[in-house]
Amino acid sequence: MKIAAQPAERHPYLRRPNHTILTLSLPILASLIAEPVTGLVDTAFVSQLGTEPLAALGVGAGSLSSILWIFSFLGIATQTEVAQTSGRNQHRESSRAVSLALAMGLFASVLLALALLPGGSFISQLLGAEGLVLDLADQYIQLRLLGAPAVIIVFVGFGALRGLQDMRRPLWIALGINIANIALDYLLIFGWAFVPPLGVAGAALASSISQWLGALWLLWQLHRRLGLSRDFDLRSGLRLLRVGRDLLIRSGALTLFLLFATRVATQMSAEAGAAHQVIRQVWFFAALISEALASSAQSLVGYFFGSARMATARSVAMSCTGWSLATGIALMFLALLATPLVALVFVPPDATAVFHLAWIIAALSQPLNALAFVTDGIHWGTGDYRFLRNVMLMATFCAMSGLALLPTHTDDAFAGVWLTMLLWMVIRAFWGVARLAPGIGKSPFRRRMSPKC
């Protein structure tokens, strides 16, 4: 799918807006769902090993995913840059932007892996892990770090292709990564023939191997689609760092909150830590469904913003917001209906008592989640990074203050962790919508429209 190769005045969105949004979103949806499905499979496999291995998976996967997600700013900035340069028909600039982001991402990820390899136990202890949970989480972190450079290559490459509104290549690559991960999960966690059972460490090794397979496939596709180049200089790198500064701060605040929430839940008890891992995985699964619309909004808004058609960019934003809110309401009802099934399949029996109330709160938050995610995508598309940074800092400060007040000596307060998650999303959704309509502050959507609009 190469929609962006057409002039802006002939873009399919102008003729069939809802069809175009859905055509772009469905492949993204499939690719985004693939990863949490693998996370759910990890959870289901490891839950058969007991409560402590499952809590260790929660600590290890939560910490590494959150730390690596800090570097997602490279993918977000690349997607916006490629979408806007495509709108201006500056295809050489798109190639240079992608190549630079890949080079910077590889350099940063190697430094990250070298810095964190000796510190797996320290990270796990910060999240409240002790005893066997600490040992297993440390093993998981050490092995997952081997795949850190591959994860960042995938961030950048998916951002580049989606900026071009090429949604199918990321879909096939994501499916390949996750099919390989699931197959390797079973083999390495439980063992088979000459392969010994590795338990939680096997889940980590499966993730690292599958990510590298996907990264190599993606680099080949990027070379075919855009052509990778060494035609960039220090000034270009500094500009990307300035663009990514606000996103990095935002990602850091997001990561800090999610890690602190995991720490609070883990410190309450192993049962609360296990229940948090289950709810967190399903919550992310539902959230990424809304992210499909957010990513489509980012690419379309960025494309029309780059081509100076702000009225069309605003139309995209409003359409995607409506679709996302409807999706969030549907997810809320589905989550409520699925409560007994989730408890039966994923929750260890000794964690059931602390699970139910927190799960209900997470389910009721879905419409707000959808609004927060789609408005993130819209404002990414215009490059309104500073505003998104400030909103995330505000939401994180308020929600972490709530978490700090929760007692950690009892798992009865576990539902409070998810009440603070709800507060976090309320703040993000409110300001995201207000920036769009009526367009508070220096919103790009309040700029004078181009005559081409």
Side-chain angles (χ1 to χ4, degrees), residues 229-305:
S229 169
R230 291 179 293 178
D231 184 21
F232 50 80
D233 54 27
L234 179 60
R235 287 177 298 177
S236 300
L238 292 175
R239 187 174 71 86
L240 178 59
L241 287 176
R242 286 194 296 269
V243 168
R245 176 190 58 199
D246 293 329
L247 283 172
L248 181 59
I249 294 171
R250 179 187 179 277
S251 297
L254 182 153
T255 299
L256 180 63
F257 173 71
L258 293 177
L259 289 176
F260 191 55
T262 299
R263 171 186 169 84
V264 171
T266 304
Q267 284 186 324
M268 289 176 178
S269 66
E271 290 75 20
H276 186 69
Q277 163 68 2
V278 172
I279 299 174
R280 188 175 65 92
Q281 286 290 348
V282 180
W283 187 86
F284 280 140
F285 181 91
L288 290 177
I289 296 175
S290 298
E291 285 281 6
L293 283 163
S295 187
S296 295
Q298 180 183 357
S299 293
L300 288 170
V301 168
Y303 177 77
F304 288 116
F305 186 82

Side-chain angles (χ1 to χ4, degrees), residues 15 95-96 142 169 171 175 178 193-194 244 278 309 337 434:
R15 300 189 305 273
S95 176
R96 294 177 65 185
Q142 299 287 332
R169 284 182 177 87
L171 167 61
L175 289 177
N178 289 282
F194 60 89
V278 172
R309 299 178 66 92
L337 290 172

Side-chain angles (χ1 to χ4, degrees), residues 32-225:
L32 290 176
I33 286 176
E35 182 173 352
V37 164
T38 303
L40 291 173
V41 172
D42 280 352
T43 300
F45 283 166
V46 175
S47 68
Q48 297 179 41
L49 305 178
T51 298
E52 290 177 319
L54 183 58
L57 177 67
V59 171
S63 60
L64 255 296
S65 297
S66 298
I67 291 169
L68 290 172
W69 192 251
I70 291 174
F71 294 93
S72 66
F73 81 90
L74 286 168
I76 294 167
T78 300
Q79 183 169 344
T80 296
E81 182 72 12
V82 170
Q84 292 187 5
T85 53
S86 294
R88 294 190 293 267
N89 291 316
Q90 296 175 336
H91 301 298
R92 183 182 177 190
E93 291 302 312
S94 297
S95 176
R96 294 177 65 185
V98 173
S99 301
L100 175 61
L102 284 171
M104 293 181 68
L106 281 172
F107 179 72
S109 62
V110 170
L111 290 181
L112 175 71
L114 292 175
L116 293 182
L117 274 173
S121 295
F122 177 70
I123 295 170
S124 301
Q125 287 173 333
L126 285 178
L127 294 177
E130 299 175 346
L132 180 59
V133 174
L134 174 62
D135 293 339
L136 294 176
D138 184 27
Q139 294 176 24
Y140 185 92
I141 290 170
Q142 299 287 332
L143 291 170
R144 274 294 303 273
L145 279 171
L146 298 177
V151 171
I152 296 178
I153 290 172
V154 171
F155 282 155
V156 174
F158 280 10
L161 292 174
R162 288 172 181 157
L164 294 169
Q165 296 167 40
D166 179 353
M167 310 306 187
R168 292 183 180 174
R169 284 182 177 87
L171 167 61
W172 296 124
I173 294 169
L175 289 177
I177 290 172
N178 289 282
I179 289 170
N181 197 350
I182 291 171
L184 290 169
D185 257 349
Y186 188 85
L187 175 66
L188 296 174
I189 291 174
F190 300 112
W192 183 75
F194 60 89
V195 179
L198 299 177
V200 174
L205 191 57
S207 295
S208 292
I209 294 172
S210 59
Q211 285 289 345
W212 272 113
L213 292 173
L216 293 174
W217 184 4
L218 181 55
L219 286 172
W220 176 60
Q221 289 291 341
L222 286 174
H223 183 68
R224 292 183 59 196
R225 182 76 168 85

Side-chain angles (χ1 to χ4, degrees), residues 314 375 378-379 382-388 390-391 428-447:
R314 183 180 178 85
T375 52
I378 290 165
H379 300 311
T382 63
D384 200 2
Y385 303 127
R386 182 174 297 179
F387 170 77
L388 292 172
N390 292 340
V391 170
R428 292 172 57 189
F430 173 80
W431 289 107
V433 171
R435 186 71 160 183
L436 173 60
I440 60 170
K442 298 180 180 179
S443 171
F445 290 99
R446 295 184 64 183
R447 296 178 185 173

